[in-house]
Amino acid sequence: MPDTSNLSDQSKTAPAQTPSVVDEQIDVTTQTLADILYLEKLLNKSQYDDIKVKSASKGVSEEAIIESMEVVSPAKLAEAKAKLLGIPFVDVVNASFSPEALGLVPRAVAERFSLIPFAYDDNTKTLSVAMANPVDLEAITFVREKTGLSIKSFAATPTEVVKEINQQYRQELVGEVGAAIKETEDVNKIKTVDTDQIAQLIKEAPIAKIVSTILEYAVTSRASDVHIEPQEDRVRVRYRIDGILYDRLSLPKAVQEAVISRIKILSEMKIDEHRSPQDGRFNFKVDQKEVDLRISVLPTVFGEKIVMRLLRKTGGIPGLAELGLAGFSEKVLEIAIQRPHGIIIVCGPTGSGKTTTLYSVLSKLNTTRVNISTLEDPVEYQIAGINQVQVNPAVGLTFAEGLRSFLRQDPNIILVGEIRDGETTELAIQAALTGHLVFSTLHTSSAAGALPRLLDLGAETFLLASTMNAVLAQRIVRKICPHCKVSYTPPPQMVEEMKVVLGKYFPPNLTDPKLYKGQGCEDCGKSGYMGRVGIFETLPITEKIASLILQHADSGAIEKEGRLEGMITMKQDGYIKVLNGITTIEEVLRVAQE
């Protein structure tokens, strides 16, 4: 990026562009805003001609006319304007804001010039600033003189800049961490930090405050995981909220070792071990909300990366209806779990909520009249009245070995965290044959795919056909935020797609369907979503499906028979939830599209 003092020259002569569409009428050396939008197919020929005529006849800028016509989104208009000026564009909504950068420019200055700093490079003494008007030389000069730093300007959507000024300058996470970082400026003097120095450093209030603030934000923002990731020149902090990772904070490299060591000590790990992965856990409490944190440390080329999984102790385990299980799927599962013996499998990829569903079922079955034992890796939630065991391969306690021991513990119901090999498969079937109700999970994409997978693991066809009760497959979708939920009319092709997928389940009297989405508000962190719900498909093991197992049928044939017997697929269940205004079609396609 050239020095910002040349910005006035950049605004006079537009750089040559490489158009995505060749159009002989447009000279790339003298492009205007309308030209760029037209070449990028954001304007059609009629709109383009209309803008050109109005601009020439009224003597008004093309930008003003495009804004008044509302034919291009503000974000796309700002991007095109940046391209015209030869200035980089930044999406401030998804940018990672550095507390240091925000601390260098007061809010009053940011509001006066409609700009927001988001990154600071200490090596080059350069401050990166997102601006509604990136060629405002007065603003650039003012900020440069006030901070004494080189200013690198970025174009951004004006409305988003205003929103982020309000969001970032009031956000406790960035503000409190920024204040704590200022108190740790002496850390920069420590080039090689030994164990004694670290031990002293992590006891200091600023470092403790940084870690505490990061965790408090995680709890209040409903995050399930916190990622602290060392980069070459900074430390990135990301939060997984409703299944999606959001970049929320950027820490200076100078506090990296102290922050990591602080978390290691809280987790009772070795702070002088930097070459091997480590695991630990500790509890954290915010406003009567207690969370159990599982910590994983992994060495990377830029330092140790930390992932903290938050397991909430308060709030309880949700019921089946709260999970989103309804209709045919719920009915099949209810019948399957009432049987005194057999196998029930829950399928899905990592993070699809399988364990939560199994906990919900076990809570429903948990009475003083039954003995329930679980074998998990790891134990995520502790349930009163259930005997929970964590596998420990280091001492020989594997899923197979634990399951073998369980059978001598007089259980009624057994949960095996995952069926991974032939030995565990065989033992699970034997347990079901000897009168136990067995629950487990498999990593398959659909309910029908679980049966061929079990056969691949060495299960005998006749034993599998006689012991399986049901197979449940699931995914998790984000729910629309109730605070900013709005309706809209979907395009005809989308409605047709839903009719094809839903078939007989599409409401026959619904001629003008309305779908819903979240606009994005303060409550949902501008995402438009709040909370999550499952989409399910439950395959009942009927006589016909049992005969298909005996024939070694593939998953396609099993799914076809399941649908004939009433099974609703995950995609269908998702579309039903879309029509009911629970989630969006984009969410269903994100997790259930094959």
Side-chain angles (χ1 to χ4, degrees):
M1 176 75 194
D3 187 82
T4 48
S5 60
N6 296 327
L7 280 172
S8 56
D9 297 329
Q10 291 174 8
S11 62
K12 292 173 185 174
T13 308
Q17 305 286 329
T18 304
S20 55
V21 177
V22 177
D23 193 313
E24 294 176 2
Q25 295 177 344
I26 298 174
D27 181 355
V28 295
T29 61
T30 57
Q31 278 183 354
T32 65
L33 198 57
D35 295 336
I36 290 174
L37 292 169
Y38 176 60
L39 291 170
E40 295 194 352
K41 297 183 179 178
L42 295 169
L43 293 175
N44 59 36
K45 191 71 170 70
S46 172
Q47 291 168 334
Y48 172 75
D49 291 339
D50 193 23
I51 291 164
K52 286 287 185 184
V53 169
K54 284 181 179 176
S55 178
S57 61
K58 296 181 179 179
V60 180
S61 71
E62 289 184 354
E63 183 179 355
I65 292 165
I66 294 165
E67 284 177 348
S68 67
M69 290 172 68
E70 296 183 349
V71 290
V72 178
S73 70
K76 289 296 180 185
L77 184 61
E79 258 186 273
K81 191 176 173 184
K83 185 177 282 191
L84 180 70
L85 299 169
I87 293 169
F89 178 83
V90 62
D91 177 7
V92 289
V93 174
N94 296 311
S96 175
F97 283 86
S98 160
E100 274 188 302
L102 285 165
L104 291 167
V105 178
R107 178 170 184 162
V109 174
E111 288 177 337
R112 175 183 164 191
F113 293 111
S114 196
L115 55 82
I116 184 165
F118 62 93
Y120 171 60
D121 187 337
D122 191 41
N123 294 326
T124 60
K125 304 295 182 189
T126 301
L127 184 67
S128 296
V129 180
M131 305 178 68
N133 179 11
V135 291
D136 185 345
L137 296 180
E138 182 192 352
I140 293 167
T141 304
F142 186 91
V143 175
R144 181 167 56 226
E145 289 178 355
K146 184 163 185 65
T147 61
L149 303 168
S150 295
I151 306 301
K152 186 175 181 180
S153 67
F154 287 75
T157 312
T159 53
E160 298 296 353
V161 169
V162 173
K163 279 184 187 175
E164 288 304 314
I165 290 170
N166 293 328
Q167 175 77 6
Q168 298 298 333
Y169 278 98
R170 73 164 184 79
Q171 194 179 100
E172 291 181 8
L173 175 69
V174 174
E176 291 187 19
V177 170
I181 286 170
K182 282 183 182 177
E183 295 179 46
T184 63
E185 287 177 352
D186 59 324
V187 177
N188 291 320
K189 298 169 187 173
I190 304 172
K191 300 301 179 187
T192 304
V193 184
D194 62 30
T195 309
D196 294 334
Q197 288 172 309
I198 282 290
Q200 178 58 38
L201 193 61
I202 58 164
K203 292 177 186 174
E204 294 176 4
I207 296 299
K209 181 67 174 174
I210 290 171
V211 173
S212 177
T213 306
I214 287 171
L215 292 175
E216 282 175 21
Y217 184 80
V219 175
T220 55
S221 63
R222 303 174 292 107
S224 61
D225 301 84
V226 182
H227 293 238
I228 299 177
E229 303 169 314
Q231 312 275 291
E232 188 174 7
D233 57 346
R234 64 185 179 112
V235 180
R236 180 170 68 175
V237 181
R238 295 194 289 173
Y239 294 84
R240 191 177 293 281
I241 302 169
D242 292 335
I244 306 294
L245 274 173
Y246 293 95
D247 204 337
R248 284 287 184 261
L249 187 63
S250 180
L251 299 174
K253 196 76 173 171
V255 300
Q256 176 180 313
E257 288 299 323
V259 167
I260 289 170
S261 294
R262 169 73 179 165
I263 294 168
K264 278 185 173 182
I265 284 211
L266 290 170
S267 314
E268 298 183 349
M269 297 182 197
K270 297 175 182 175
I271 64 169
D272 56 346
E273 176 56 72
H274 304 291
R275 297 171 299 172
S276 302
Q278 295 187 70
D279 295 297
R281 64 194 306 164
F282 66 91
N283 289 352
F284 186 75
K285 195 170 184 179
V286 183
D287 299 330
Q288 306 307 311
K289 294 178 184 175
E290 189 173 0
V291 293
D292 182 17
L293 290 130
R294 285 212 322 265
I295 317 298
S296 172
V297 177
L298 182 72
T300 71
V301 290
F302 297 122
E304 290 171 290
K305 177 187 172 180
I306 288 183
V307 174
M308 297 186 277
R309 165 67 58 90
L310 282 75
L311 303 171
R312 283 158 179 78
K313 291 191 169 185
T314 50
I317 293 164
L320 294 177
E322 289 176 77
L323 294 176
L325 205 61
F328 181 83
S329 290
E330 185 181 24
K331 183 181 175 184
V332 170
L333 187 61
E334 289 277 7
I335 293 168
I337 65 177
Q338 294 307 320
R339 294 180 64 182
H341 55 80
I343 300 174
I344 296 167
I345 300 286
V346 180
C347 309
T350 303
S352 59
K354 301 186 295 293
T355 304
T356 304
T357 298
L358 287 172
Y359 280 170
S360 182
V361 172
L362 290 182
S363 296
K364 190 178 178 71
L365 297 173
N366 186 19
T367 68
T368 55
R369 293 186 178 88
V370 292
N371 176 18
I372 303 176
S373 296
T374 75
L375 192 62
E376 304 170 61
D377 182 21
V379 174
E380 292 197 7
Y381 296 95
Q382 293 170 3
I383 310 172
I386 293 180
N387 308 294
Q388 295 173 275
V389 178
Q390 183 159 318
V391 297
N392 187 355
V395 296
L397 182 53
T398 60
F399 280 121
E401 196 57 45
L403 185 49
R404 195 176 280 111
S405 300
F406 274 10
L407 296 177
R408 297 191 289 271
Q409 287 281 318
D410 185 33
N412 300 101
I413 299 167
I414 297 170
L415 165 63
V416 184
E418 187 183 342
I419 292 178
R420 294 177 178 172
D421 51 42
E423 189 180 7
T424 313
T425 306
E426 185 183 344
L427 285 165
I429 290 173
Q430 290 301 324
L433 285 170
T434 52
H436 304 92
L437 187 59
V438 180
F439 293 92
S440 193
T441 68
L442 263 182
H443 286 107
T444 59
S445 59
S446 67
L451 300 171
R453 173 67 180 141
L454 289 169
L455 295 175
D456 288 343
L457 287 171
E460 294 286 350
T461 52
F462 64 96
L463 292 178
L464 190 63
S466 62
T467 55
M468 290 298 298
N469 288 2
V471 183
L472 178 81
Q474 67 179 80
R475 300 288 189 278
I476 302 181
V477 293
R478 292 180 290 172
K479 293 195 292 185
I480 299 168
C481 172
H483 304 288
C484 58
K485 183 177 179 179
V486 293
S487 64
Y488 70 97
T489 302
Q493 61 267 31
M494 188 182 288
V495 177
E496 282 305 311
E497 149 80 0
M498 294 182 78
K499 284 181 178 177
V500 170
V501 170
L502 285 172
K504 64 181 181 181
Y505 300 112
F506 191 89
N509 57 348
L510 193 62
T511 53
D512 185 24
K514 294 283 184 188
L515 301 187
Y516 299 86
K517 61 183 177 182
Q519 289 183 306
C521 62
E522 297 297 327
D523 293 288
C524 63
K526 305 279 195 309
S527 68
Y529 297 97
M530 181 178 281
R532 293 191 288 173
V533 71
I535 58 173
F536 302 89
E537 63 182 31
T538 307
L539 179 71
I541 310 300
T542 60
E543 285 185 20
K544 287 185 179 179
I545 289 173
S547 68
L548 287 174
I549 296 171
L550 291 170
Q551 296 165 31
H552 279 268
D554 62 18
S555 60
I558 294 170
E559 182 172 312
K560 185 178 179 182
E561 180 57 39
R563 293 180 71 167
L564 287 173
E565 298 193 23
M567 182 181 82
I568 296 173
T569 66
M570 273 187 292
K571 199 170 182 182
Q572 287 176 327
D573 188 32
Y575 279 4
I576 290 167
K577 288 181 167 74
V578 168
L579 287 174
N580 290 333
I582 297 169
T583 188
T584 64
I585 198 161
E586 291 81 9
E587 273 296 288
V588 175
L589 294 175
R590 179 176 69 85
V591 302
Q593 183 75 298
E594 294 177 1

